[in-house]
Each structure stands twice: as structure tokens, then as C-alpha cells.
Amino acid sequence: MLEDEHRSDFGGLADDYKSKVDLVRLEELASSLGLEVGSLNRLDVGWDGEAWTFPMRNAGADVVGIRRRLPDGRKLSVKGGHEGLFIPVHLPESGDLIIAEGPTDAAALLDMGFDSVVGRPSCCGGTRYLIDLVKLRGSQEVVVVADRDGPGRRGADSLASVLIAYVRRVRVIEPPAGVNDVRAWLTSGGTRQDVEHAVKAAPVREIHVETRMVSVYG
């Protein structure tokens, strides 16, 4: 890995890591994750000599940090950066959005055939950048895909309650029973049609405004 003095330029660092990717090793990674090489490439996957790397970006696609995935599956971040979004190359400039948790879940949605996909850095991270992104894109509908566990559901619900102030429709979905996340959904045979069916079945989140009767006595 490069030393700390190089870490102020995260975009350059991400490019450097991307240039060091060996195709054979990348194909092995994709196979082990049940993903396609193309989806990982769209997320600018790199290699720092010890771990796979995924750049994290702000709403303007500037690299603000880098997530590291070690061969044993542990996830760390390059020091000095900030949590951001995993935004694929060639993300459409406008329109609705589907939000997953993490880069490999975002890659799974890309493999399913979705195009307007981003990954948040954790079940509760990236909210500020996601607000900026939906405003920038003029999104009318956002779908948040939650991991099928307590933290995932709470994080998705919290994000939905914030984003509904900026888009017309927000829906929250999760994988079917027995499946924890989007990547597992894909590897267990899930398809784009399955996700779309879940979206159609999910209620639209709404802003709930409490009203109170006020009596005025003369």
C-alpha cells in the first residue's frame, strides 16, 4: 500500500490501485463473490498489494475515501478518507435510483440488469451524499434495499424517512426469507423480475405530519 503522504489525493490513489489489477485474480474474486467482472469494473475495483479496493465518492463523483476488502473478507478503509458512496461508472445522470448496502451488493444489482444503482458505505452511512445525489439527479422515486436483519432494516427505515423529504416516492424492500442481502439474493437465483416484484409490492413511504386542534377563546 502507498504511504500516508499519498493519501490526500484519493482519486489518484484509486486510479493507481485500479491500474494494478490482475485480470486472472479479478476473475477469481468475481467467481468467489458470485459476481461478474464487469460489475466490479464499473465500481473501479483496484488492488493495493494486500486488499481489493473500492473508491467511495461524493454526489459529484469525486473520490473521498477508499474501502479495502482483504482476501479473508475483512473490510477496512484507507486512513485519512471519508465514507462515501459506491457509484458505478456510467451511472445515468438523472432519474430514479436504487440504493444497496456496500459495493458488492451494488454490483449484484448491476448484474441483475439495473443501471441506476449506488451503494452506501454501511447500513447507516452516506445519508448526506445520498440527499445531494437525489437532488442532483432530480429523482422522483428511490428504492432502498435493506439487508434482512435488524441493523439493515433500521438503517433503511432511517434513510427512507430522510429521503422522502426530497423525492416523491420512497420504497424499502429486502430479500426473501432465508436470504440476508442482495448478493446472496443474486447467487440464490434472484432476478431483476424478483426485485421489481418486491418493489411493486412495497408501500410508498410518506411524510407523516401530526396535526393538533387549537381552540381560541375570546
Tab-separated table of all heavy atoms in Angstrom, residues 29 43 89 92 125 132 144 164 169 180 186-187 201:
chain	number	residue	atom	x	y	z
A	29	LEU	N	-11.810	-13.357	-7.909
A	29	LEU	CA	-12.613	-12.615	-6.926
A	29	LEU	C	-14.079	-12.629	-7.329
A	29	LEU	O	-14.961	-12.914	-6.503
A	29	LEU	CB	-12.119	-11.175	-6.816
A	29	LEU	CG	-12.983	-10.255	-5.941
A	29	LEU	CD1	-12.914	-10.671	-4.485
A	29	LEU	CD2	-12.573	-8.788	-6.116
A	43	LEU	N	-17.397	-0.427	-10.770
A	43	LEU	CA	-17.179	0.206	-9.466
A	43	LEU	C	-15.706	0.543	-9.250
A	43	LEU	O	-15.298	0.882	-8.143
A	43	LEU	CB	-17.684	-0.718	-8.356
A	43	LEU	CG	-19.211	-0.877	-8.335
A	43	LEU	CD1	-19.613	-2.071	-7.476
A	43	LEU	CD2	-19.888	0.385	-7.832
A	89	VAL	N	-19.356	3.469	-12.721
A	89	VAL	CA	-19.065	4.209	-13.948
A	89	VAL	C	-20.287	4.171	-14.858
A	89	VAL	O	-20.996	3.171	-14.922
A	89	VAL	CB	-17.845	3.582	-14.659
A	89	VAL	CG1	-17.579	4.273	-15.991
A	89	VAL	CG2	-16.619	3.642	-13.754
A	92	PRO	N	-26.420	6.710	-15.043
A	92	PRO	CA	-27.214	7.732	-15.733
A	92	PRO	C	-27.257	9.037	-14.935
A	92	PRO	O	-27.281	9.017	-13.703
A	92	PRO	CB	-28.600	7.076	-15.830
A	92	PRO	CG	-28.309	5.610	-15.839
A	92	PRO	CD	-27.137	5.423	-14.919
A	125	GLY	N	-24.760	4.704	6.841
A	125	GLY	CA	-23.860	5.732	6.339
A	125	GLY	C	-24.295	6.315	5.008
A	125	GLY	O	-25.172	5.800	4.321
A	132	ASP	N	-27.729	14.708	-1.458
A	132	ASP	CA	-27.158	15.518	-2.536
A	132	ASP	C	-27.372	14.851	-3.888
A	132	ASP	O	-27.688	15.526	-4.884
A	132	ASP	CB	-25.657	15.722	-2.309
A	132	ASP	CG	-25.338	16.596	-1.109
A	132	ASP	OD1	-26.237	17.345	-0.662
A	132	ASP	OD2	-24.189	16.534	-0.621
A	144	VAL	N	-34.785	1.679	-1.517
A	144	VAL	CA	-33.714	1.311	-0.605
A	144	VAL	C	-33.814	-0.190	-0.345
A	144	VAL	O	-34.858	-0.676	0.093
A	144	VAL	CB	-33.815	2.076	0.726
A	144	VAL	CG1	-32.636	1.722	1.634
A	144	VAL	CG2	-33.879	3.580	0.491
A	164	ILE	N	-37.580	10.945	1.912
A	164	ILE	CA	-38.939	11.268	1.489
A	164	ILE	C	-39.172	12.771	1.462
A	164	ILE	O	-40.102	13.256	0.807
A	164	ILE	CB	-39.977	10.567	2.401
A	164	ILE	CG1	-41.370	10.611	1.763
A	164	ILE	CG2	-39.983	11.159	3.783
A	164	ILE	CD1	-41.481	10.009	0.404
A	169	ARG	N	-41.453	9.569	-4.029
A	169	ARG	CA	-41.768	8.219	-3.569
A	169	ARG	C	-40.499	7.522	-3.072
A	169	ARG	O	-39.478	7.532	-3.767
A	169	ARG	CB	-42.392	7.382	-4.689
A	169	ARG	CG	-43.717	7.900	-5.202
A	169	ARG	CD	-44.240	7.046	-6.350
A	169	ARG	NE	-43.311	7.019	-7.467
A	169	ARG	CZ	-43.235	7.963	-8.405
A	169	ARG	NH1	-44.032	9.023	-8.334
A	169	ARG	NH2	-42.377	7.860	-9.391
A	180	ASN	N	-29.990	-13.013	3.194
A	180	ASN	CA	-29.634	-11.859	4.023
A	180	ASN	C	-29.454	-10.571	3.243
A	180	ASN	O	-29.827	-9.500	3.719
A	180	ASN	CB	-28.359	-12.138	4.811
A	180	ASN	CG	-28.015	-11.012	5.771
A	180	ASN	OD1	-28.772	-10.712	6.689
A	180	ASN	ND2	-26.882	-10.350	5.541
A	186	LEU	N	-28.924	-12.681	-5.397
A	186	LEU	CA	-28.472	-12.990	-6.750
A	186	LEU	C	-27.944	-14.411	-6.845
A	186	LEU	O	-28.332	-15.177	-7.746
A	186	LEU	CB	-27.388	-12.000	-7.175
A	186	LEU	CG	-26.668	-12.295	-8.491
A	186	LEU	CD1	-27.608	-12.110	-9.680
A	186	LEU	CD2	-25.428	-11.395	-8.644
A	187	THR	N	-27.055	-14.796	-5.927
A	187	THR	CA	-26.427	-16.111	-6.025
A	187	THR	C	-27.399	-17.252	-5.730
A	187	THR	O	-27.141	-18.403	-6.104
A	187	THR	CB	-25.212	-16.209	-5.081
A	187	THR	OG1	-25.621	-15.948	-3.731
A	187	THR	CG2	-24.145	-15.195	-5.477
A	201	ALA	N	-44.653	-4.430	-4.689
A	201	ALA	CA	-45.417	-4.850	-3.514
A	201	ALA	C	-45.146	-3.990	-2.285
A	201	ALA	O	-45.912	-4.039	-1.314
A	201	ALA	CB	-45.091	-6.309	-3.188
